[in-house]
Amino acid sequence: MFETIIKRDGSVVGFDPARITHAIARAGEATGEFGADVAEALTTRVLDAAHRKLGVKTPGVEEIQDAVEQVLLS
């Protein structure tokens, strides 16, 4: 798993996958398509996709956002 992430302002902070899960869950609840349990599974898919694309490189928020969009659309 990633240890850190580069925020939009360029600062580097600790990586918290729970933030991804929370954002995905909010999206699922807003559309009525899924809840927190599915959001956790989707987070795993997002992290797998990001690792395949980035390897050990520290991701930026935009790169994680792109992976979230890719997983949600698939």
Side-chain angles (χ1 to χ4, degrees), residues 3 6 9 17 21 24 28 31-33 36-37 39 46 58 61 65 72:
E3 297 290 323
I6 303 168
D9 67 3
T21 303
I24 292 173
T31 63
E33 294 181 53
D37 54 337
V46 166
T58 300
V61 169
Q65 185 175 357
L72 288 177

Side-chain angles (χ1 to χ4, degrees), residues 40-58:
E40 287 186 34
L42 292 172
T43 298
T44 300
R45 291 179 55 194
V46 166
L47 294 175
D48 289 343
H51 274 288
R52 280 193 306 276
K53 183 175 181 180
L54 303 171
V56 296
K57 175 187 165 205
T58 300

Side-chain angles (χ1 to χ4, degrees), residues 9-25:
D9 67 3
S11 63
V12 178
V13 298
F15 185 81
D16 182 7
R19 294 186 70 164
I20 297 169
T21 303
H22 183 69
I24 292 173

